[in-house]
Structure formats: structure tokens, C-alpha cells
Amino acid sequence: MTAEPIDTDKDGNQITIADIFSDPTNIADEVDLLINFKKLYTFINESLDEREKQIISKRYGLNTGNGGAVKAMTQREVAAHLKISRSYVSRIEKRALMKLKDRFDGKK
């Protein structure tokens, strides 16, 4: 019944009820994404020190509740904002990402 054409679009293609009501997003994927976002914010708050939180939030545009950024910044922009070297930002970012990866992998 839902595969029967009910109209045509501007290009003359047939439209069915299923075309109108189909949801292009997979609900399971959406739920999984939300769960992982919650885990990420929990892991950031539990595993990272204040400097690491600042850098990760600014680099990836995360709002971690402690001066988090709204837009993602480059390492150079973060370095200028925090008045430290870009290479130091890189080292801190790498260390913080490894901590978060370990948490997602269940290592800590």
C-alpha cells in the first residue's frame, strides 16, 4: 500500500507515502551518538586536568562548562589565546586525546 504512487514530483518522478514519511536517519545511530556524547563529556570532566579541558574544548568547539569554546580553533589560535606555544598545545592535546581514548577503550 505504501509503495503505490500518490503523486509526482516536479521532475515527473512518482512519490509514494513511504517517500513522504520515511525518516532518513537511523534512530539506533542517533541514540548511540547521544550516548557517546554523554560519555565524552563525562570522560572529559573525570579524566582531564583544567589545562587539558581548556585545550580540548577550544580545539574541538566543545562547551565543557569551564570556559568551553563555541567554535573549533586551530592549535595556533588556542596557543595565542592561552599565551603558550603551538607545540605545547599539540603535546597537551595529544596527551588528553590518549586519556579519552583509553577511557572509551575501558582502560581506566
Side-chain angles (χ1 to χ4, degrees):
M1 173 156 175
T2 59
E4 295 177 24
I6 58 170
D7 203 353
T8 57
D9 64 13
K10 66 179 180 176
D11 297 325
N13 300 315
Q14 294 182 339
I15 299 174
T16 66
I17 291 176
D19 293 330
I20 294 171
F21 291 107
S22 66
D23 185 358
T25 59
N26 182 338
I27 299 299
D29 289 343
E30 292 289 324
V31 169
D32 191 45
L33 186 61
L34 286 173
I35 290 169
N36 282 327
F37 272 134
K38 287 183 180 182
K39 281 183 185 177
L40 175 63
Y41 281 98
T42 299
F43 294 164
I44 286 171
N45 287 321
E46 291 177 356
S47 302
L48 304 184
D49 65 32
E50 288 306 311
R51 178 66 70 149
E52 291 166 336
K53 286 179 193 177
Q54 279 184 315
I55 289 173
I56 292 299
S57 67
K58 290 179 187 327
R59 282 285 290 132
Y60 298 97
L62 303 175
N63 184 357
T64 58
N66 65 336
V70 174
K71 82 169 189 65
M73 299 168 75
T74 65
Q75 286 182 346
R76 196 171 310 282
E77 290 170 328
V78 174
H81 182 58
L82 298 177
K83 297 178 176 50
I84 58 177
S85 72
R86 191 220 41 89
S87 61
Y88 191 44
V89 168
S90 178
R91 286 192 302 273
I92 294 170
E93 179 184 357
K94 184 176 180 179
R95 183 178 64 230
L97 291 174
M98 288 304 298
K99 285 181 180 181
L100 294 173
K101 181 183 181 310
D102 286 347
R103 287 295 304 267
F104 270 102
D105 291 344
K107 293 182 182 176
K108 285 191 176 188

